[in-house]
Amino acid sequence: MEILAPAGSFESLKAAIHAGADAVYMGGSLFGARAYADNPKGSLLLDAIDYAHLYGVKLYLTVNTLLKDRELTQQLYGYLQPCYEHGLDAVIIQDIGVMSAVQEWFPKLPIHASTQMTVCGSGGVRFLKEAGVQRVVLARELSLAEIEKIHQETGMEIECFVHGALCYCYSGQCLFSSILGGRSGNRGRCAQPCRLSYDALADGKVISGKGENALLSPKDMCAVDLLPQIAEAGVYSLKIEGRMKRPEYTAGVVRIYRKYADWYLEHGADGYCVSEEDKKELFLLFNRDGFSRGYYEQHNGRNMMALNKLKPSDNEKKSYETLISFLKKQYVDTEKKISITGCLYARAGQPMKLELTSLSCRLTVYGGCPQLPRSAPMEPDQLKKQLCKTGNTPFVWKDLQIQTEGPLFVPVQELNNLRREALEQLRTEITGSFCRTAEKELRNKGTKAMEKPSCQPFTQTVGLHISVETSEQLHAVLDNAERLKQRTKSPLRAVYVDAESLEEQLSEAVNQLHNKGLEAYIMLPAVFRAKTADRYRNYKYNWASLPADGYVLRNLEEYEFLQEIRWNKVWLLDHNMYLFNQKSREFWRKRGSFMQTNPLELNSRELKEISARDSIQIIYGRYPMMITAGCLYKTLNQCRKKSGQRMLKDRYEKLFPVKNYCRDCYNIIFNSQPLWLLDRQDELETLCAGAYRIMFTTENRQETFAVLDSWMEGGRPPADFTRGHFKRGIE
């Protein structure tokens, strides 16, 4: 069972190691999900790898952001190569394109799938395992039962968060910071809008309690009480969150989890109990309105939210400062020493021989020749005393034997030289044992851009696709189908019907669309967890026999489900599959994708670099800002187990629709403004996309008609709209 610690700086790395971490995850100068941490740069990152290895600790590098095409082709190889050759233990990734590139360029480098990949079920884990991933960091929203099922069904190495901050959104599915301020969580620059205050509204009236407006801010997780259950569910690596926190925090949390992991490994689950004193220490280090146990034992709830933003008392502040002072002295300012054993062999007239052993490393170093003494010979204790002065090196002698033969004298300088050379060689031997060489024939591949697919169209004209989530929207589209089909530019060809909202009407909807001469696609749920998978599996023959023309996939689990039911028609990928670069697009093409929806965070210039005739460009719709296991209804004690819609109002009086999808218990928070590119067709044509998509989400019948009329007649956009990232993009 691995204790995996966060390190947002070299100092935090040291603190984690000295407090007992088995492994550390940290970012470098590029592509990490904590771009604002004090990440080591250049050679300092290589020093961090060496430092970890010196203490027998693994270092995992976070490359867990989405990479634009030029970054992947021009920067990634050069960034990773020195780390790879220096013995990096694994790379943590979010981007399928990065996964594909790393496997091609650095085949011996283990890959861990980040929690940013939103892996929620056995299907997603199986997919990644078959793709060559060694470990999966599961979505934080999963229960113990779900984790155990995944472990039993896949045998995959699993990593789960056990302590620290929780995102309100499924990691990897958040666009809130990106859209509001251009700081994308998918690029490591989240501004944490979830920690701000919001009011909940129904029918225009505030329904949230006074002073309880941190509606999107979960309490920090503390699962130290659950370590036996987590371990027995199949979790190998216990991950602590906190790369933006100070080194003392890292040390304090690591030492307590180290203590209880060791206790469990030695004694088992019987009698496992965490002391109140240790819980208090974790509480003092950081909390938000106290702690929750995360999602391990519950799906959501009011008690998981930091609604009150409580401030610490004066006594708590004093206790905190005392604790921080202790941790700084114990783990930050003081370095743990590495025990070594050895033996010195010395005889006058022959080179001294010093044998050393540390960890799994053994070496022999030879020094100068001892002399015959002119007066009193040197005693073994004198030799030992001089050799044991390890100074500011990381080593300390656990046992040093001195074996001499006959009287002798050794100059102090000779002993010092022998000691220095031996300890430096030992350091080099330990760290060097992890090094590897990048294969020369792969180096050119690492800097060669992929060619963009030809812009030859599948059909004569670019088609229009429309997605709908309600019966009102569907019937509005059906009523306008004939004139939409007759449009000269981009006639209507296909409609996506949301399976989550319209499950009972799918067969009828497909038939109605076919009767209008349109293709019908089923848009699968945004989240496909065990509950959803079981329901779909119970009716898998219905899904397989549904006369739809294809499915729209929004996660890895759904891809595996289609393989399971032997679906032999076409399938499309939605925008949240994050096809940011040619590598990711080519990966999915090889697996049979028919079309791929362009991501929402690239600007028009960046889209031109990757968009092709199998691309779908969204031109209208409210961005899904968050997909959450947390439920606004449950937080407000208003759960009726019935789907509906509420509004969130921010400090600028902007209103964000919140739809709850009760069938599978998740919420989607939509942007306050719809994307509007209906009047930008000349610019859109330069993308060479094969289809445009109008995405209806919260619109009623009248609003749906108005959008379709604007598309047909070139009407002006509404008073409140956004161009999204089409112009500005993200850092």
Side-chain angles (χ1 to χ4, degrees):
M1 193 160 63
E2 176 184 86
I3 301 296
L4 177 56
S9 66
F10 205 118
E11 199 172 36
S12 290
L13 169 84
K14 292 181 175 181
I17 289 170
H18 302 320
D22 298 300
V24 173
Y25 66 102
M26 71 187 311
S29 58
L30 298 172
F31 312 136
R34 293 292 181 271
Y36 300 118
D38 188 18
N39 300 307
K41 298 173 176 62
S43 62
L44 194 59
L45 179 56
L46 305 183
D47 292 342
I49 295 171
D50 281 346
Y51 193 89
H53 288 164
L54 201 58
Y55 286 89
V57 172
K58 294 181 178 180
L59 191 144
Y60 308 140
L61 181 66
T62 58
V63 187
N64 54 341
T65 58
L66 301 174
L67 269 64
K68 299 175 184 180
D69 210 47
R70 293 183 183 182
E71 294 169 333
L72 195 151
T73 58
Q74 298 177 20
Q75 293 179 271
L76 182 62
Y77 185 90
Y79 175 61
L80 286 181
Q81 182 189 343
C83 299
Y84 174 79
E85 294 183 332
H86 224 69
L88 179 66
D89 295 285
V91 62
I92 305 171
I93 61 99
Q94 173 189 8
D95 191 318
I96 284 284
V98 173
M99 180 190 78
S100 182
V102 169
Q103 288 174 330
E104 180 182 352
W105 301 337
F106 307 106
K108 296 177 183 176
L109 181 59
I111 295 174
H112 297 175
S114 171
T115 193
Q116 287 283 115
M117 292 192 81
T118 326
V119 181
C120 293
S122 298
V125 173
R126 252 191 317 270
F127 174 89
L128 291 169
K129 186 176 183 179
E130 291 166 1
V133 170
Q134 281 73 30
R135 179 189 295 186
V136 173
V137 189
L138 294 176
R140 282 175 260 209
E141 289 77 4
L142 300 190
S143 67
L144 286 167
E146 287 174 292
I147 295 168
E148 184 175 11
K149 183 176 182 180
I150 289 170
H151 176 67
Q152 290 174 347
E153 292 181 352
T154 68
M156 187 62 154
E157 189 173 290
I158 291 173
E159 179 181 309
C160 287
F161 283 89
V162 294
H163 194 92
L166 286 172
C167 296
Y168 187 64
C169 182
Y170 281 95
S171 290
Q173 300 298 318
C174 184
L175 299 177
F176 220 123
S177 174
S178 173
I179 299 303
L180 295 189
R183 289 173 52 178
S184 171
N186 286 311
R187 301 275 291 171
R189 292 171 168 80
C190 180
Q192 295 192 314
C194 51
R195 303 299 180 188
L196 300 176
S197 296
Y198 298 88
D199 290 322
L201 281 69
D203 300 322
K205 297 180 180 179
V206 175
I207 57 173
S208 46
K210 187 176 181 181
E212 295 184 342
N213 48 17
L215 296 173
L216 308 183
S217 181
K219 295 177 180 178
D220 274 26
M221 170 170 55
C222 176
V224 67
D225 284 318
L226 298 176
L227 291 195
Q229 294 96 311
I230 292 169
E232 288 164 19
V235 178
Y236 166 70
S237 182
L238 307 176
K239 189 169 195 172
I240 296 164
E241 184 276 338
R243 279 194 286 152
M244 298 296 288
K245 295 189 175 71
R246 60 193 299 174
E248 293 85 354
Y249 169 88
T250 301
V253 176
V254 167
R255 80 179 192 128
I256 289 178
Y257 277 83
R258 172 82 280 153
K259 172 182 176 180
Y260 288 100
D262 288 346
W263 195 98
Y264 165 73
L265 290 170
E266 183 176 352
H267 303 289
D270 291 343
Y272 181 88
C273 181
V274 180
S275 75
E276 291 303 316
E277 183 180 353
D278 287 335
K279 290 181 184 179
K280 181 181 178 182
E281 187 170 312
L282 290 172
F283 183 89
L284 285 172
L285 284 169
F286 194 86
N287 73 89
R288 283 187 175 88
D289 284 2
F291 288 125
S292 78
R293 291 183 175 184
Y295 294 91
Y296 287 115
E297 297 177 309
Q298 65 182 101
H299 188 85
N300 50 35
R302 181 182 176 86
N303 63 317
M304 294 181 66
M305 305 304 296
L307 293 172
N308 300 308
K309 296 185 178 180
L310 297 176
K311 297 184 181 296
S313 66
D314 289 340
N315 284 337
E316 286 173 339
K317 290 178 181 178
K318 290 178 182 178
S319 298
Y320 170 78
E321 293 301 332
T322 301
L323 176 59
I324 290 296
S325 178
F326 164 75
L327 293 170
K328 186 176 189 301
K329 180 179 179 181
Q330 189 77 11
Y331 299 106
V332 180
D333 295 339
T334 304
E335 293 195 356
K336 183 172 68 174
K337 295 291 186 177
I338 301 167
S339 296
I340 55 176
T341 61
C343 184
L344 173 72
Y345 300 92
R347 180 182 180 182
Q350 294 184 3
M352 290 181 290
K353 183 173 74 169
L354 181 58
E355 294 179 347
L356 298 92
T357 302
S358 179
L359 300 174
S360 59
C361 183
R362 300 184 65 179
L363 60 87
T364 301
V365 181
Y366 293 91
C369 298
Q371 307 165 12
L372 289 172
R374 294 181 178 178
S375 55
M378 293 184 77
E379 296 295 325
D381 284 350
Q382 292 175 279
L383 299 171
K384 184 173 184 178
K385 181 179 179 181
Q386 199 63 33
L387 289 174
C388 283
K389 294 179 180 180
T390 55
N392 61 359
T393 73
F395 301 107
V396 63
W397 286 100
K398 180 181 180 182
D399 180 51
L400 174 60
Q401 300 294 319
I402 307 293
Q403 294 189 16
T404 61
E405 188 175 331
L408 53 81
F409 169 76
V410 184
V412 169
Q413 186 63 35
E414 288 286 350
L415 288 171
N416 289 344
N417 289 342
L418 178 63
R419 184 191 65 238
R420 278 194 294 267
E421 183 180 352
L423 295 182
E424 184 56 35
Q425 279 196 33
L426 180 61
R427 177 199 291 269
T428 303
E429 188 78 17
I430 292 172
T431 57
S433 65
F434 293 88
C435 292
R436 44 170 104 86
T437 302
E439 299 178 33
K440 291 182 180 178
E441 63 270 18
L442 297 177
R443 292 183 183 179
N444 289 335
K445 288 186 177 181
T447 55
K448 184 179 179 182
M450 292 184 65
E451 291 185 8
K452 179 179 173 179
S454 168
C455 276
Q456 292 299 316
F458 293 143
T459 54
Q460 289 184 340
T461 58
V462 177
L464 175 68
H465 295 187
I466 297 177
S467 59
V468 297
E469 293 197 11
T470 68
S471 294
E472 281 192 351
Q473 295 163 3
L474 174 63
H475 287 103
V477 172
L478 289 169
D479 289 347
N480 285 273
E482 292 305 323
R483 66 178 186 136
L484 290 167
K485 285 166 56 181
Q486 298 304 317
R487 195 175 191 270
T488 304
K489 279 191 173 183
S490 308
L492 177 62
R493 288 214 175 86
V495 176
Y496 312 163
V497 183
D498 183 61
E500 181 72 19
S501 305
L502 299 169
E503 189 169 308
E504 289 81 7
Q505 304 170 44
L506 291 181
S507 293
E508 180 184 357
V510 168
N511 290 331
Q512 289 174 317
L513 291 168
H514 283 167
N515 289 338
K516 292 289 185 179
L518 298 170
E519 296 174 3
Y521 291 83
I522 306 303
M523 193 161 58
L524 294 174
V527 180
F528 203 80
R529 287 173 59 173
K531 178 181 177 182
T532 313
D534 288 344
R535 190 176 80 252
Y536 273 53
R537 203 166 280 119
N538 288 337
Y539 300 101
K540 67 180 181 180
Y541 297 111
N542 292 5
W543 295 105
S545 61
L546 195 65
D549 297 284
Y551 281 102
V552 181
L553 310 187
R554 295 199 265 182
N555 48 65
L556 299 179
E557 286 76 24
E558 289 164 356
Y559 172 83
E560 285 293 300
F561 176 72
L562 290 191
Q563 307 309 304
E564 181 183 328
I565 66 173
R566 301 181 184 277
W567 177 256
N568 58 6
K569 297 181 183 178
V570 303
W571 47 273
L572 322 178
L573 297 174
D574 209 348
H575 60 84
N576 66 330
M577 297 297 280
Y578 294 133
L579 305 165
F580 253 56
N581 47 65
Q582 291 289 10
K583 278 281 187 186
S584 58
R585 290 173 174 255
E586 187 60 29
F587 176 91
W588 283 111
R589 287 185 186 112
K590 289 178 179 178
R591 279 156 181 78
S593 69
F594 174 60
M595 297 192 81
Q596 308 171 350
T597 309
N598 285 337
L600 299 176
E601 294 188 283
L602 296 181
N603 62 33
S604 58
R605 177 185 58 79
E606 293 159 343
L607 287 169
K608 287 176 188 177
E609 295 176 356
I610 60 170
S611 188
R613 286 305 187 203
D614 61 348
S615 300
I616 303 165
Q617 176 63 37
I618 294 176
I619 59 174
Y620 170 85
R622 292 183 185 271
Y623 281 23
M625 306 284 270
M626 284 186 169
I627 301 172
T628 75
C631 177
L632 194 61
Y633 287 80
K634 286 289 288 291
T635 298
L636 297 173
N637 287 329
Q638 296 179 14
C639 177
R640 300 190 301 265
K641 299 188 183 300
K642 184 179 179 182
S643 296
Q645 183 174 308
R646 292 287 186 266
M647 289 284 183
L648 282 177
K649 183 173 71 173
D650 70 4
R651 63 194 190 282
Y652 300 115
E653 303 291 313
K654 288 189 175 182
L655 297 175
F656 300 88
V658 184
K659 290 180 71 173
N660 64 310
Y661 299 78
C662 274
R663 193 190 303 275
D664 292 306
C665 199
Y666 62 86
N667 283 195
I668 297 183
I669 302 172
F670 291 97
N671 195 13
S672 59
Q673 307 163 307
L675 170 73
W676 190 279
L677 298 177
L678 303 180
D679 55 346
R680 290 289 187 267
Q681 187 137 347
D682 289 345
E683 295 173 61
L684 291 168
E685 286 176 357
T686 67
L687 303 184
C688 288
Y692 303 139
R693 175 176 162 195
I694 291 175
M695 180 172 67
F696 290 120
T697 53
T698 63
E699 292 82 359
N700 58 30
R701 181 181 176 85
Q702 183 178 354
E703 291 165 337
T704 305
F705 265 100
V707 171
L708 297 177
D709 283 343
S710 292
W711 170 248
M712 290 299 298
E713 299 169 11
R716 292 186 176 183
D720 196 17
F721 72 96
T722 178
R723 300 294 187 190
H725 283 300
F726 194 71
K727 290 295 183 184
R728 66 179 181 180
I730 51 175
E731 289 184 53

